[in-house]
Each structure stands twice: as C-alpha cells, then as structure tokens.
Amino acid sequence: PSPYESLSIALLEGWNHGRPAIVNGRCDVLRGQVRRAEGGLYYTTSREFEEAVRLVLERPDIAARLGAGGESYVEAEYRWPLVLHRIETLLATVFGGIFLALSGVVAVETISRKLFNISLQSADELGGYALAVGSTIAFSLALIGRNHIRVDVFHERFPRAIQAALNWLAIV
C-alpha cells in the first residue's frame, strides 16, 4: 500500500466487519487511524510486514482484539447518525456566522451613512446573498433534522385525495 493514502474506505470496511488492519507505517493517516482505533498493526519494512501477517494469522486472540478495536472505532467515529450530527453542527455554525457577518456589515453601513454620509453600496446585495445562502442552509438543516413543520389548520378538513395531493406537493 501507498504511503500517501488518505482515509481508507477499505480500512473502515474491514473494521466494520471486525477484521484487524495491517497498514503502511510510512502513511501518517493510516498509522494514526490504527493507533487511535487500536485496530491493527503497521509496518515500515518488508520484514515487519511479514511479522505482522504472521502474528495476525497465528494469534487469533490478538487478531480478534485488534478487529474489535477497529469495529468500536468505526462505531464511535463514522456511523451515519454521528456524521449527520457533525454536518448539522457545521452547517449551523456557518449559518450563524453568515448572519453575524451580515449584522456587522449592516451596522457599518448604518454608521457610515449616518456619521459620514457615505454608503457602502453593497450591503443590500450582500444581504440578499446572505439570505439566499442562509435560507438554503436553514432548509437543509430542517430537512436533515426532520424539524420542518406544516400548518394543519385546513389540511385535516380537506378530502383524502386533496390531502394526498398536498402531501405529495409538499414533498416535491
């Protein structure tokens, strides 16, 4: 294996099935993953590679312990709910940052207009972009977190066919 690997899907898949890993020790990323997971061995020479393979084959207890460590690491770091939570947190942070920056631009625009009679000329345009990007992020967050709502004041009073059509339209 190359010493220039990034996060290896093959490594994660092996760990997902409880298999120990043997990775190139000259690859900082994989060596770091194996160390953090306690899920395998790493080598830097062909002799070390042979010894690692022999150890895993001849000592199933060690292989099982390493495989279990890797599987636990995948469970703790890469399961879909955790990844979604990290994405939600990142998007919420970006969303907040956009509107915090927009607040600063509007404040500077207002002060410069009132005190110096100078307009930045771009605050409105930046506000529109911030609203568009922020709305996209907010809608994405609502969809991912299943936080979107629907007002059912009239919905329940419609016939089932119209309710179904409205539900389909809402999805689209």
Side-chain angles (χ1 to χ4, degrees):
S2 168
Y4 305 109
E5 292 289 328
S6 62
L7 176 64
S8 171
I9 298 299
L11 176 65
L12 296 179
E13 283 296 324
W15 280 343
N16 197 38
H17 294 284
R19 302 289 184 240
I22 300 174
V23 301
N24 189 335
R26 284 175 265 153
C27 178
D28 294 335
V29 175
L30 296 183
R31 186 180 67 239
Q33 291 278 350
V34 164
R35 282 181 174 169
R36 283 187 296 280
E38 296 179 4
L41 305 168
Y42 59 90
Y43 64 90
T44 55
T45 66
S46 58
R47 177 145 175 85
E48 287 176 355
F49 177 74
E50 289 173 21
E51 290 171 4
V53 170
R54 187 174 300 114
L55 179 67
V56 167
L57 292 175
E58 292 176 358
R59 294 288 309 270
D61 57 319
I62 292 175
R65 184 176 50 80
L66 293 173
E71 190 172 9
S72 295
Y73 184 73
V74 169
E75 188 69 36
E77 296 293 327
Y78 295 105
R79 290 291 180 233
W80 193 238
L82 179 65
V83 171
L84 274 180
H85 176 71
R86 288 178 181 162
I87 291 170
E88 287 175 348
T89 302
L90 174 67
L91 288 176
T93 302
V94 169
F95 178 76
I98 286 171
F99 284 101
L100 191 61
L102 179 61
S103 298
V105 169
V106 169
V108 169
E109 165 75 13
T110 303
I111 291 169
S112 69
R113 243 184 315 129
K114 295 294 181 188
L115 295 180
F116 307 111
N117 203 25
I118 298 171
S119 176
L120 298 178
Q121 300 294 321
S122 60
D124 288 340
E125 188 173 357
L126 289 173
Y129 290 137
L131 183 60
V133 171
S135 296
T136 302
I137 292 172
F139 294 145
S140 299
L141 280 170
L143 188 61
I144 289 171
R146 295 180 183 252
N147 298 324
H148 51 288
I149 61 170
R150 152 180 101 190
V151 179
D152 285 335
V153 175
F154 298 109
H155 185 269
E156 297 302 318
R157 298 173 193 248
F158 291 135
R160 288 231 185 259
I162 293 176
Q163 287 180 12
L166 289 173
N167 289 340
W168 179 83
L169 185 62
I171 291 171
V172 175

